[in-house]
Amino acid sequence: MKTGSVTTSEAPVEQTVFLILFAISFSHLLNDMVQSLMPAIYPVIKDSFHLNFSQIGIITLVFQLSASILQPLVGMYTDKKSHAYSLPLGMGLTLIGLLCLSQAPSYAMILVSVMLIGMGSSIFHPESSRVAYLASGGRRGLAQSIFQLGGNAGSALGPLLAAWIIVPQGQKSISWFGIGALLAIVILFKVGGWYKKQMLTRLATRKHAGTGHPEFPRKKVIFSMFILLVLIFSKFVYLASISSYYTFYLIGKFHLSVQHSQYFLFMFLLAVAVGTITGGHLGDKFGRKYIIWISILGAAPFTLLLPYANLFWTGALSVIIGLIISSAFSAILVYGQELIPGKVGLVAGLFFGLAFGMGGLGSALLGSLADHTSINYVFKVCAFLPLIGVLTGFLPNIEAKKK
């Protein structure tokens, strides 16, 4: 493989450092738990400040802009100049945002608070993905899967904790979640110390490295990145249809209770967690392009069957879909990082930012479509999204290029 120049944050250690990976994954859980609180506390804020739905939409817009669009910019900057303790700094912004939100006396202060939380997330994702890359020991897919697993768990845990704590206790109880952010700061300071040592030990490698050059022509890289972004679009919009509207689909079509429908959603989320951790490992073993093929296009037969299945097979198919489609993200992320050597932070920021943005935008668009048609129709339309996975065939074979 043509290595080119190696930055201080690009070359991974020789052995997988699982302690660092688990630390960064747990921090990811705490970060995404806070992120997922935002939609869950909207009813509380709406009633407390007598907001209309347009004002709620502006809160979402401010949060998503600060949490998604900033991520590629942060990644681009840290690719050039990494800061070992940027992770606890980012989590510090999240902590300040939470405390401000719990005490916010006005709508304007709510907007400032959610912007701070979003900015904290924008710093966290690119840099923590870089740490996972650095600690991978060459098992990059597995490392990203462990990291991503924490985020999935946090996203599922946030609304549940909000229902238990914030809804009955009110706005001021948001401050309790600052304990989680404070714990993450402590953990990330430890991670930052390890990160700093890795940066120092690789300084000589950077000095003696040759002048880098891309492995693929610029146009090929840009086209491949476009395909990866389209694949992320298909994956996360489909996941948004399940995570946001699956319970409504089950209640409307099969007349389940809210509680019973939540069991089905839990099984889907559990399958997503399992698929996330296995997808990265399989990508390391068999090649990331093959896993992208299987995890996007391979889900299509099951998504196409889902709208026409009975209750039992609806549950079974949703678990299969969760297992398959969730294995894609780690493979796509690491593939992108290997496609553009030395741009670990930029790729992570771009993909995480797009994933977050596509999930929110997709949920809103699908909700509007459901209002004008039906939930059943939404699931029939979304069933075709995994067919976009056929575009994987246009991606270059990076594994073959390495040999």
Side-chain angles (χ1 to χ4, degrees):
M1 176 181 177
K2 302 172 185 176
T3 55
S5 62
V6 182
T7 66
T8 57
S9 58
E10 180 184 348
V13 293
E14 294 181 0
Q15 294 184 341
T16 306
V17 187
F18 285 102
L19 183 61
I20 294 296
L21 291 177
F22 290 138
I24 209 72
S25 179
F26 183 66
S27 300
H28 197 189
L29 182 152
L30 296 172
N31 180 82
D32 283 22
M33 178 187 71
V34 171
Q35 279 194 84
S36 64
L37 288 177
M38 295 300 103
I41 65 176
Y42 283 170
V44 175
I45 295 175
K46 186 176 185 296
D47 291 340
S48 299
F49 293 90
H50 308 290
L51 305 179
N52 56 39
F53 285 110
S54 295
Q55 289 173 309
I56 292 293
I58 292 174
I59 294 174
T60 302
L61 178 64
V62 170
F63 179 58
Q64 289 188 343
L65 286 177
S66 60
S68 57
I69 293 181
L70 285 179
Q71 287 196 39
L73 300 178
V74 172
M76 189 182 303
Y77 172 76
T78 54
D79 279 335
K80 296 179 179 178
K81 191 174 182 180
S82 294
H83 297 277
Y85 293 100
S86 58
L87 284 169
L89 174 63
M91 193 59 68
L93 289 176
T94 297
L95 175 59
I96 294 171
L98 278 173
L99 296 178
C100 290
L101 185 60
S102 69
Q103 304 295 324
S106 65
Y107 178 66
M109 193 62 196
I110 289 174
L111 294 179
V112 172
S113 301
V114 299
M115 182 182 67
L116 288 171
I117 294 172
M119 289 173 63
S121 183
S122 288
I123 296 173
F124 176 82
H125 281 110
E127 279 295 84
S128 55
S129 181
R130 187 195 306 278
V131 171
Y133 189 96
L134 182 62
S136 67
R139 301 168 70 181
R140 296 167 186 169
L142 176 63
Q144 291 296 334
S145 291
I146 293 174
F147 169 63
Q148 188 62 22
L149 182 63
N152 289 344
S155 296
L157 190 59
L160 185 62
L161 293 177
W164 288 346
I165 299 173
I166 298 176
V167 173
Q169 299 295 328
Q171 179 187 352
K172 293 186 182 299
S173 64
I174 296 172
S175 60
W176 285 103
F177 289 87
I179 297 174
L182 190 59
L183 176 60
I185 290 173
V186 174
I187 294 172
L188 291 173
F189 260 111
K190 297 289 186 181
V191 172
W194 178 86
Y195 186 14
K196 185 176 182 179
K197 290 179 181 178
Q198 298 304 313
M199 292 168 66
L200 292 174
T201 56
R202 280 163 178 75
L203 187 58
T205 304
R206 183 182 184 184
K207 289 179 178 179
H208 293 291
T211 303
H213 54 274
E215 293 194 19
F216 295 98
R218 181 180 176 84
K219 289 183 179 180
K220 184 70 172 178
V221 171
I222 293 174
F223 180 66
S224 299
M225 287 296 292
F226 172 75
I227 291 176
L228 293 176
L229 294 176
V230 172
L231 293 175
I232 286 179
F233 166 83
S234 70
K235 167 185 161 60
F236 279 96
V237 172
Y238 187 84
L239 286 179
S241 72
I242 298 288
S243 59
S244 298
Y245 304 108
Y246 188 40
T247 55
F248 295 106
Y249 174 78
L250 293 170
I251 292 169
K253 184 173 182 179
F254 300 109
H255 310 292
L256 299 185
S257 66
V258 174
Q259 185 178 24
H260 197 181
S261 68
Q262 291 291 340
Y263 295 148
F264 279 77
L265 181 59
F266 171 76
M267 291 302 298
F268 171 78
L269 293 175
L270 181 62
V272 167
V274 174
T276 297
I277 197 68
T278 57
H281 173 68
L282 293 175
D284 289 335
K285 188 173 183 179
F286 298 108
R288 279 169 258 288
K289 183 176 177 179
Y290 297 113
I291 298 303
I292 296 171
W293 264 112
I294 295 169
S295 61
I296 303 292
L297 187 60
F302 306 103
T303 60
L304 291 169
L305 286 172
L306 182 65
Y308 307 97
N310 60 26
L311 179 59
F312 171 81
W313 282 108
T314 294
L317 287 171
S318 68
V319 168
I320 295 171
I321 292 167
L323 285 169
I324 296 174
I325 206 167
S326 62
S327 63
F329 188 72
S330 296
I332 291 174
L333 177 60
V334 176
Y335 182 97
Q337 291 172 337
E338 294 180 343
L339 186 66
I340 313 179
K343 301 295 181 182
V344 175
L346 172 62
V347 173
L350 183 63
F351 286 178
F352 275 108
L354 184 71
F356 185 76
M358 285 299 99
L361 179 62
S363 181
L365 292 176
L366 294 176
S368 177
L369 180 61
D371 285 337
H372 289 85
T373 55
S374 67
I375 291 292
N376 285 6
Y377 183 77
V378 167
F379 273 68
K380 289 179 181 178
V381 170
C382 290
F384 291 92
L385 285 172
L387 291 175
I388 294 176
V390 72
L391 294 177
T392 306
F394 293 99
L395 293 174
N397 294 315
I398 289 182
E399 284 81 8
K401 188 78 174 179
K402 291 178 183 178
K403 295 176 181 178

